[in-house]
Amino acid sequence: MSTINAYIETHKERFLEELFQLISIPSISSDPKHKESMVKTANAVKELLLSSGADSAEVRQTAGNPVVTGEKIVDEKYPTILIYGHYDVQPAEPLELWVSDPFKPEIRDGKIFARGADDDKGQFFIQLKSFEALAKTNNLKCNVKFLIEGEEEIGSPSLPEFCKKNKELLKADIILVSDTTLLGLDKPSITVGLRGITYYDIEVTGPNRDLHSGLFGGAVANPINKLAELINKLIDDKNRITIPGFYDDVLFIDETERNELARAPFDVDAYNKSLGIPIGVGEDGYTTMERTGIRPSLDVCGIWGGFSGDGAKTVLPSKAYAKVSMRLVPNQDPITIDKLFIDYVESIKPKGVQVKVAPLHSGKGYVSPLDSVAYKAASLAMEKSFGIKPVPTRSGGSIPIVSAFEEILGIKTILMGFGLESDAIHSPNENFPLENFYKGLETVPLFYKYFSELMG
Amino acid sequence: MSTINAYIETHKERFLEELFQLISIPSISSDPKHKESMVKTANAVKELLLSSGADSAEVRQTAGNPVVTGEKIVDEKYPTILIYGHYDVQPAEPLELWVSDPFKPEIRDGKIFARGADDDKGQFFIQLKSFEALAKTNNLKCNVKFLIEGEEEIGSPSLPEFCKKNKELLKADIILVSDTTLLGLDKPSITVGLRGITYYDIEVTGPNRDLHSGLFGGAVANPINKLAELINKLIDDKNRITIPGFYDDVLFIDETERNELARAPFDVDAYNKSLGIPIGVGEDGYTTMERTGIRPSLDVCGIWGGFSGDGAKTVLPSKAYAKVSMRLVPNQDPITIDKLFIDYVESIKPKGVQVKVAPLHSGKGYVSPLDSVAYKAASLAMEKSFGIKPVPTRSGGSIPIVSAFEEILGIKTILMGFGLESDAIHSPNENFPLENFYKGLETVPLFYKYFSELMG
């Protein structure tokens, strides 16, 4: 590995420069204003694939944002690794909470600060530059393919169709993804479970115009009060989701497995302190790790209506809105949940207002087997680079496409991420510690080595 | 009255031009950005008082926006009418819902459309121009004083102090105000009751930063969900306010008085239809008119937190906010209610979050006696100009300063307003029908006539 590590050492400044250029394009997939940035970023990714050692690379059109593919086929007899990543990012709002411009990456305290610094431009760069180091030093004992999309943050609406149409192009033995977290640099971990997701826009309409809260207050249903009533009915006082049938497909996890998962080091006081919360709040009977790892959840991600300026505008607004997201566990079907949710909202709809529910996107959860070649290779690689054997963990996050890969392409995914929970992905001041970036560059080439050895 | 009416007829186009100029200054008292507009508007009001016939007029400083005073003393022996009005307006947001610019008044369908067209620049102009017609035709049999403030829409914080310091200046027999509504042009009415008001900013804080709803959802209290829980606990399923002690000081209104108030013509189907609501919703056991007239109410006037853009940002936000207003009935003390509300919120504060409550402004309710000279004069004036005897009504709105006038100056107020509920005050597309404006100009001089006769 020494020539590989020497190559990385020599080029690591350039790697950062290239990453910063990619980050500086605001590829926010949820905002139609950034359409042009999406195309620009896709083209930049294609150029990066070619310059990093791919034999070919293409920007491919979809119904939405383009997908970038590329490959280097070293030998037909070698196993093939398909690298998946995404070049789109979350919106940066609220902008006023950022210390530096979200699209002008800056290094402070040994961390890169920018939207996408971790999720997923920074993490994808670990894969890209590990590949480059292997390719340029002629150490590739695997074929490598790339599939980099631009719609992950909006639920990958175009990718399943793309996969269906390009099964041959994407044929591989394993999909490798860096888009998840480690418990810590001193607590290496591999994500073996992901939650699924559903997401809804809710609109509550009361009167046909904003009303004076004095002249009408008390006689006309207020859509904000009614939205609060509705939201409040979604979770009971044991913090369980109240939608009838919601838990029907949740797999029972026995004590043995719960004990296994509880082995992951976790300090609840440090967790609460780092979040600035007095106490964790979640479903009765489960630990903090279980609440995000093996149990579903429901969060209002946004709410708005009426007057939000300074002072005392006395209005009974016409409309109120909320964005509601649920995280599902493996075996819960988002389509079934959509129906249950919409029916339930209809059944608890407050009097005097209209309620509309629009599903935005969804994805299934995923569980990865611990006895696979890929998991073993990942575990060996991390044990070598971190000096500690990693533990399997279940992430509360969702990468909906991972279960779609299995269904459509028949390929399992290994989630070897190098982020930290403190990286503030999806939040102001997203960051990625340089140490994690370099540790990733040290680990991924080892995965290639062990994977090809174990497959060979 | 014929010379007075002839004067109005001759000058009515100019009256509108002058009103439009006043409206075009965006005197939004709740927004510090508009400080300069407040001073500009106060000066414009002073000039209007002088040009309309006042002997003197002054812009007087307060701790907040200036107060404009003026007077015409015809004869020390005559009774004195003090005209109160306000030159400040509500914010115009949401701007995108206005058909025309809120500060460029436009006449469509016989109505003036603009912020302040009714509340209160348009209505104040009825008083101002009635005074002008009487003064310029030498028909004034009363002394007239003016008190026009610039903080009504933020609860008149500086006016009580101003009144305390200027009791002699403001000495009068009656205060006359046009800042309320008629049931309709064919249903004249005089407002004899006003509700009081309290208003609060609420801030709920969960984690110290926005979190990824997947990685943390289910384990960390979500401030939006918790704010919804809190709001939902403020009103019970009979639509009664749940704050302990809240109703203690609400006066019991007996069947006789309820029957008297029920005489005001009111068509509940037309009301619901005009508001586009399927059904009115309010406190069990009370009619729509009673719910706004004689019962208190609680409305969330604004709510916000998390992501409100297009698409599906999966965030568990750090903070959520709401603006909550209560309308009180006469005899409820806002200071007592502040304490009850803050204590109650503290007692129901959800676990895992911090809650801050900041009172913004408040005012007491008001009831005007039906057997006073001023009420009789107003009733006779309206019966003459409308051809129908007006009914007394109780408005759900609040003019906090009215009860302060009685406490500080010892003067009763007569609320002779000419607006309609459909004027959309405080809403987009606020408007004031020209017919109402002219009907007001026909009525107010008659009030002067009957008032001086009955007092003389």
Side-chain angles (χ1 to χ4, degrees):
Chain A
M1 301 301 291
S2 61
T3 54
I4 300 164
N5 290 336
Y7 182 90
I8 292 168
E9 194 55 37
T10 307
H11 296 276
K12 63 197 236 182
E13 286 303 311
R14 174 177 55 81
F15 292 173
L16 279 189
E17 279 162 32
E18 290 176 8
L19 171 59
F20 280 23
Q21 276 175 32
L22 195 69
I23 287 174
S24 67
I25 318 174
S27 46
I28 302 164
S29 48
S30 63
D31 188 341
K33 281 200 308 288
H34 290 278
K35 216 70 198 166
E36 219 169 287
S37 293
M38 305 314 292
V39 175
K40 196 174 162 192
T41 315
N43 284 318
V45 169
K46 175 190 159 186
E47 294 307 321
L48 281 165
L49 291 182
L50 292 172
S51 66
S52 301
D55 297 330
S56 63
E58 294 287 340
V59 172
R60 295 173 190 264
Q61 298 314 312
T62 70
N65 295 325
V67 160
V68 189
T69 61
E71 60 181 40
K72 181 173 180 72
I73 306 300
V74 183
D75 188 322
E76 295 268 312
K77 284 170 295 185
Y78 285 168
T80 301
I81 297 172
L82 173 61
I83 310 287
Y84 164 78
H86 62 94
Y87 65 82
D88 65 323
V89 296
Q90 283 277 320
E93 282 81 8
L95 296 175
E96 68 276 14
L97 296 185
W98 285 80
V99 172
S100 55
D101 189 319
F103 297 105
K104 288 186 183 153
E106 196 175 286
I107 294 174
R108 294 193 304 273
D109 307 327
K111 298 168 182 174
I112 308 166
F113 282 85
R115 173 58 81 232
D118 168 326
D119 181 16
D120 181 49
K121 288 171 178 172
Q123 293 230 45
F124 159 64
F125 247 70
I126 291 174
Q127 291 296 337
L128 180 71
K129 294 300 154 180
S130 294
F131 162 74
E132 177 182 323
L134 289 160
K136 301 278 177 168
T137 59
N138 292 314
N139 276 300
L140 263 185
K141 297 285 188 302
C142 299
N143 302 312
V144 183
K145 294 180 176 181
F146 288 91
L147 172 64
I148 313 300
E149 69 150 324
E151 298 185 324
E152 196 270 348
E153 299 293 0
I154 52 170
S156 304
S158 310
L159 202 58
E161 189 60 28
F162 182 85
C163 290
K164 279 178 200 156
K165 287 187 180 158
N166 293 282
K167 287 185 189 174
E168 191 56 34
L169 177 76
L170 301 173
K171 209 172 163 188
D173 296 287
I174 191 72
I175 297 172
L176 183 60
V177 182
S178 288
D179 195 18
T180 47
T181 56
L182 297 168
L183 290 174
L185 281 173
D186 55 345
K187 299 167 192 167
S189 56
I190 298 170
T191 303
V192 297
L194 289 170
R195 290 199 285 188
I197 185 172
T198 62
Y199 201 107
Y200 309 92
D201 273 343
I202 297 182
E203 178 187 294
V204 178
T205 305
N208 52 16
R209 62 181 192 278
D210 287 2
L211 302 177
H212 186 290
S213 70
L215 301 181
F216 296 91
V220 175
N222 179 321
I224 303 181
N225 289 73
K226 293 302 167 187
L227 177 58
E229 180 183 321
L230 201 155
I231 289 168
N232 195 54
K233 284 191 175 153
L234 301 177
I235 298 181
D236 70 14
D237 55 8
K238 294 185 161 46
N239 288 300
R240 280 173 67 90
I241 294 162
T242 50
I243 303 163
F246 181 83
Y247 290 95
D248 285 1
D249 295 329
V250 171
L251 289 183
F252 175 74
I253 296 190
D254 63 23
E255 280 307 306
T256 319
E257 194 170 352
R258 284 175 75 176
N259 288 340
E260 181 65 15
L261 289 164
R263 280 184 46 238
F266 180 75
D267 178 341
V268 69
D269 292 329
Y271 179 89
N272 291 348
K273 204 177 158 199
S274 81
L275 297 174
I277 56 174
I279 189 176
V281 172
E283 190 180 352
D284 277 12
Y286 292 91
T287 66
T288 296
M289 287 292 271
E290 288 174 338
R291 286 166 176 172
T292 60
I294 61 171
R295 300 298 293 174
S297 61
L298 182 150
D299 276 282
V300 183
C301 296
I303 194 164
W304 68 103
F307 180 67
S308 60
D310 278 346
K313 180 170 171 167
T314 50
V315 64
L316 191 170
S318 170
K319 286 178 183 283
Y321 306 85
K323 290 179 179 274
V324 172
S325 172
M326 280 175 257
R327 298 289 168 161
L328 311 177
V329 292
N331 204 47
Q332 281 186 297
D333 177 31
I335 308 295
T336 307
I337 298 297
D338 280 355
K339 193 180 170 325
L340 293 176
F341 180 65
I342 290 167
D343 288 352
Y344 181 55
V345 170
E346 182 62 31
S347 76
I348 60 169
K349 191 175 65 178
K351 273 204 296 190
V353 295
Q354 297 164 54
V355 180
K356 270 196 245 171
V357 179
L360 282 194
H361 84 81
S362 63
K364 288 187 185 173
Y366 179 74
V367 191
S368 158
L370 301 192
D371 55 3
S372 69
V373 164
Y375 182 81
K376 283 178 195 156
S379 180
L380 286 169
M382 287 185 123
E383 189 172 357
K384 181 92 174 168
S385 64
F386 286 85
I388 306 165
K389 188 175 174 177
V391 292
T393 62
R394 288 191 177 213
S395 163
S398 308
I399 311 179
I401 197 63
V402 168
S403 57
F405 285 151
E406 185 164 18
E407 273 181 49
I408 300 165
L409 302 174
I411 316 176
K412 285 278 184 188
T413 296
I414 189 90
L415 295 162
M416 193 163 54
F418 297 94
L420 297 177
E421 283 208 344
S422 55
D423 290 356
I425 67 169
H426 294 210
S427 300
N429 304 308
E430 176 176 349
N431 64 85
F432 195 35
L434 288 172
E435 206 178 347
N436 289 50
F437 182 65
Y438 297 134
K439 188 57 84 178
L441 287 173
E442 192 184 334
T443 308
V444 173
L446 288 164
F447 173 83
Y448 277 72
K449 173 178 140 74
Y450 293 119
F451 185 68
S452 61
E453 283 174 13
L454 290 167
M455 291 289 286
Chain B
M1 300 302 292
S2 62
T3 55
I4 300 164
N5 290 337
Y7 182 91
I8 291 169
E9 193 56 37
T10 308
H11 295 278
K12 61 198 239 183
E13 286 304 310
R14 175 177 55 82
F15 292 173
L16 279 188
E17 279 162 32
E18 289 176 9
L19 172 59
F20 280 24
Q21 275 175 32
L22 194 71
I23 287 174
S24 67
I25 318 174
S27 47
I28 302 164
S29 48
S30 64
D31 188 342
K33 280 201 307 289
H34 290 278
K35 215 72 198 164
E36 219 170 288
S37 294
M38 305 314 293
V39 176
K40 198 176 162 190
T41 315
N43 284 316
V45 169
K46 176 192 157 185
E47 295 306 321
L48 282 165
L49 291 182
L50 292 172
S51 65
S52 301
D55 298 329
S56 63
E58 294 285 342
V59 172
R60 293 172 192 265
Q61 298 314 312
T62 70
N65 295 324
V67 160
V68 189
T69 60
E71 61 180 38
K72 183 174 179 70
I73 306 300
V74 184
D75 188 322
E76 295 269 311
K77 283 171 295 185
Y78 286 169
T80 301
I81 296 173
L82 173 60
I83 310 288
Y84 164 79
H86 62 93
Y87 65 81
D88 64 322
V89 296
Q90 283 278 322
E93 283 80 7
L95 296 175
E96 67 276 13
L97 297 184
W98 285 80
V99 172
S100 54
D101 188 319
F103 296 104
K104 289 189 182 150
E106 197 174 285
I107 294 175
R108 295 194 302 275
D109 307 327
K111 298 168 183 174
I112 308 166
F113 282 85
R115 172 59 81 233
D118 168 325
D119 180 16
D120 181 46
K121 289 172 176 171
Q123 294 229 46
F124 158 63
F125 247 68
I126 290 174
Q127 291 297 338
L128 180 71
K129 294 300 152 181
S130 296
F131 162 74
E132 177 182 323
L134 289 160
K136 302 276 177 172
T137 59
N138 292 314
N139 276 300
L140 262 187
K141 297 285 188 299
C142 299
N143 302 311
V144 183
K145 293 181 176 181
F146 288 91
L147 172 65
I148 313 301
E149 69 151 324
E151 299 186 324
E152 196 271 349
E153 300 293 0
I154 54 170
S156 305
S158 310
L159 203 56
E161 189 60 27
F162 182 84
C163 290
K164 279 177 202 157
K165 288 187 179 157
N166 293 281
K167 287 184 188 174
E168 192 54 35
L169 178 76
L170 301 172
K171 212 172 162 186
D173 296 287
I174 190 71
I175 297 172
L176 182 60
V177 181
S178 288
D179 195 19
T180 49
T181 55
L182 297 168
L183 290 173
L185 281 173
D186 55 345
K187 298 168 192 164
S189 56
I190 298 172
T191 303
V192 296
L194 290 169
R195 290 199 285 187
I197 186 171
T198 62
Y199 201 108
Y200 309 93
D201 273 345
I202 297 182
E203 177 187 296
V204 178
T205 305
N208 53 16
R209 62 180 192 278
D210 286 3
L211 302 177
H212 185 291
S213 71
L215 301 181
F216 295 90
V220 175
N222 179 321
I224 303 181
N225 289 73
K226 294 301 166 186
L227 177 58
E229 181 183 321
L230 201 153
I231 289 168
N232 195 54
K233 284 189 176 157
L234 300 178
I235 298 181
D236 70 14
D237 54 8
K238 294 184 161 46
N239 287 301
R240 280 174 67 90
I241 295 163
T242 51
I243 302 163
F246 181 83
Y247 290 95
D248 285 0
D249 295 329
V250 172
L251 290 184
F252 175 73
I253 296 190
D254 64 22
E255 281 308 306
T256 318
E257 193 170 351
R258 285 175 74 177
N259 289 340
E260 181 64 16
L261 289 164
R263 280 183 46 235
F266 180 75
D267 178 342
V268 68
D269 292 332
Y271 179 89
N272 291 347
K273 203 176 160 200
S274 82
L275 297 173
I277 57 174
I279 188 177
V281 171
E283 191 181 352
D284 278 12
Y286 292 91
T287 66
T288 296
M289 287 290 271
E290 288 175 336
R291 286 166 177 172
T292 59
I294 61 170
R295 300 298 294 173
S297 61
L298 183 150
D299 276 283
V300 184
C301 297
I303 194 165
W304 68 103
F307 181 68
S308 59
D310 279 346
K313 180 170 170 167
T314 49
V315 64
L316 191 171
S318 170
K319 286 179 184 283
Y321 306 85
K323 287 176 181 276
V324 171
S325 173
M326 282 175 257
R327 298 288 168 163
L328 311 178
V329 291
N331 203 47
Q332 282 186 297
D333 176 31
I335 307 297
T336 307
I337 299 297
D338 280 356
K339 193 182 171 323
L340 293 176
F341 180 64
I342 289 167
D343 288 352
Y344 180 55
V345 170
E346 182 61 33
S347 76
I348 60 169
K349 192 176 65 180
K351 271 203 297 190
V353 294
Q354 296 163 56
V355 180
K356 271 196 245 173
V357 179
L360 283 195
H361 84 81
S362 64
K364 288 185 184 172
Y366 180 74
V367 190
S368 159
L370 300 192
D371 55 3
S372 69
V373 163
Y375 183 80
K376 282 177 196 157
S379 180
L380 286 169
M382 286 185 122
E383 187 171 357
K384 179 93 175 167
S385 65
F386 286 86
I388 305 165
K389 187 174 173 175
V391 292
T393 61
R394 288 193 177 212
S395 164
S398 309
I399 312 181
I401 197 63
V402 168
S403 56
F405 286 150
E406 185 164 20
E407 274 180 47
I408 301 166
L409 301 175
I411 317 176
K412 287 277 183 188
T413 296
I414 190 89
L415 296 162
M416 194 164 53
F418 297 93
L420 296 176
E421 283 210 345
S422 55
D423 290 355
I425 67 168
H426 294 211
S427 299
N429 304 309
E430 175 177 348
N431 64 86
F432 195 34
L434 288 172
E435 207 178 345
N436 290 52
F437 182 64
Y438 296 135
K439 189 55 88 179
L441 288 173
E442 192 184 334
T443 308
V444 173
L446 289 163
F447 173 82
Y448 277 72
K449 174 177 140 71
Y450 293 119
F451 185 68
S452 61
E453 283 174 14
L454 289 168
M455 291 288 287

